[in-house]
Amino acid sequence: VWLYKKKSSVAPVPAPATSAPVTSATSVSSRSLQAEDKILRNQSLTDADVSGLSLNELRILRNVHFARYGRKYERPGLGDYFSTRPWYQPRDDFNENMLNDLDKANIKVVQAAEDRTIAAQSRNWDTFWTMLREAADRKDRATMTKLMPSDFSFNCCDSYDENKNGDTRDEAFRFWAKPEINGWAALNRALANGVVDSTLWRNPENKHQQKVAPAAANRSGYSDWIAEFELRDDGRWYFVSFVVPESDG
């Protein structure tokens, strides 16, 4: 666990919390619909087709390549969007092998646009926070992965990197999905209750700017889930850990 208690007799003063509305995935721009039409017509996407689209729109376009072959999606979620599209026909026998080379090439174009958008927006705390809130609400693992470092810390077991792939994010998602953990709900609850500069819980050797959620995490005796965020050397904010602090006893 990365959390350390900083001894101080001075009560921490909460920084202003930035609240982010959690939006629906069903509203898209005309440019996004035009790109969707190109996909369905088996045409190549270009950077110009996807430049300037929102992360929500890019996520939908990436998944159009799967939905067109009948992949099923949950509701609430992407299923809310695709259920409104007249071409969408979910099927039980969907297989990712149905995608052709053009689909795979177009997905790379969309993913590159997602990477550029996330990298740019992660340099500003407010836009990073908005991205994180929306991605957590949607359980959008693809976006969340890009907002988290590969050495993400979470409460789990003695061996965090169970599959030894050098990346703990996949284990974190599996851990959160366990019914007895209900990690996604815990994360959204923590994020909904404000974010503050980290003063009480932090590694004293870490010189990076850090924030925690919920705001109550800075109070002595707090023992529930804590989300930590860090501005790293590359100039980007990251969601670096989501843990329950170890008790002093």
Side-chain angles (χ1 to χ4, degrees), residues 47-233:
D47 289 340
D49 291 323
V50 296
S51 176
L53 296 181
S54 71
L55 279 177
N56 226 15
E57 291 172 327
L58 292 170
R59 178 181 180 236
I60 288 172
L61 288 177
R62 172 164 43 82
N63 279 279
V64 166
H65 295 88
F66 302 92
R68 67 186 297 214
Y69 298 107
R71 178 177 178 178
K72 293 183 177 181
Y73 289 91
E74 294 180 356
R75 301 182 67 177
L78 286 170
D80 291 328
Y81 176 78
F82 290 123
S83 66
T84 68
R85 310 308 295 145
W87 50 263
Y88 179 57
Q89 295 292 328
R91 48 191 292 181
D92 294 329
D93 62 346
F94 166 79
N95 189 298
E96 291 192 7
N97 291 331
M98 294 175 175
L99 275 68
N100 59 38
D101 289 342
L102 180 58
D103 290 315
K104 296 173 184 177
N106 279 343
I107 288 172
K108 289 182 179 179
V109 172
V110 177
Q111 287 177 325
E114 288 180 293
D115 290 345
R116 290 192 298 269
T117 300
I118 289 172
Q121 293 187 7
S122 293
R123 295 182 180 279
N124 175 275
W125 168 256
D126 290 340
T127 52
F128 168 82
W129 180 246
T130 298
M131 278 194 298
L132 182 78
R133 288 289 311 275
E134 293 179 350
D137 181 68
R138 297 190 305 259
K139 300 181 182 179
D140 178 359
R141 297 186 181 193
T143 299
M144 291 290 292
T145 296
K146 295 169 184 174
L147 299 175
M148 300 156 64
S150 59
D151 59 348
F152 184 81
S153 181
F154 67 101
N155 283 59
C156 176
C157 45
D158 292 335
S159 177
Y160 286 157
D161 188 14
E162 185 178 2
N163 58 9
K164 307 299 182 184
N165 68 345
D167 190 332
T168 58
R169 292 170 293 192
D170 49 347
E171 281 86 5
F173 294 142
R174 287 197 295 272
F175 182 60
W176 296 350
K178 294 181 178 180
E180 67 272 22
I181 302 299
N182 204 9
W184 287 103
L187 176 59
N188 280 293
R189 185 169 61 251
L191 301 182
N193 282 287
V195 61
V196 295
D197 290 332
S198 178
T199 57
L200 189 66
W201 300 96
R202 62 178 300 159
N203 182 341
E205 297 180 358
N206 190 336
K207 304 304 180 183
H208 292 110
Q209 185 179 351
Q210 298 171 52
K211 293 180 182 288
V212 294
N218 266 343
R219 298 173 186 167
S220 180
Y222 181 83
S223 59
D224 204 348
W225 287 93
I226 299 176
E228 278 195 308
F229 314 98
E230 191 172 274
L231 181 63
R232 294 198 163 178
D233 289 337

Side-chain angles (χ1 to χ4, degrees), residues 28-56:
V28 298
S29 66
S30 59
R31 288 190 59 238
S32 180
L33 290 175
Q34 290 168 3
E36 178 181 303
D37 187 60
K38 289 189 69 172
I39 296 168
L40 298 175
R41 291 176 180 272
N42 295 309
Q43 297 177 2
S44 296
L45 290 179
T46 67
D47 289 340
D49 291 323
V50 296
S51 176
L53 296 181
S54 71
L55 279 177
N56 226 15

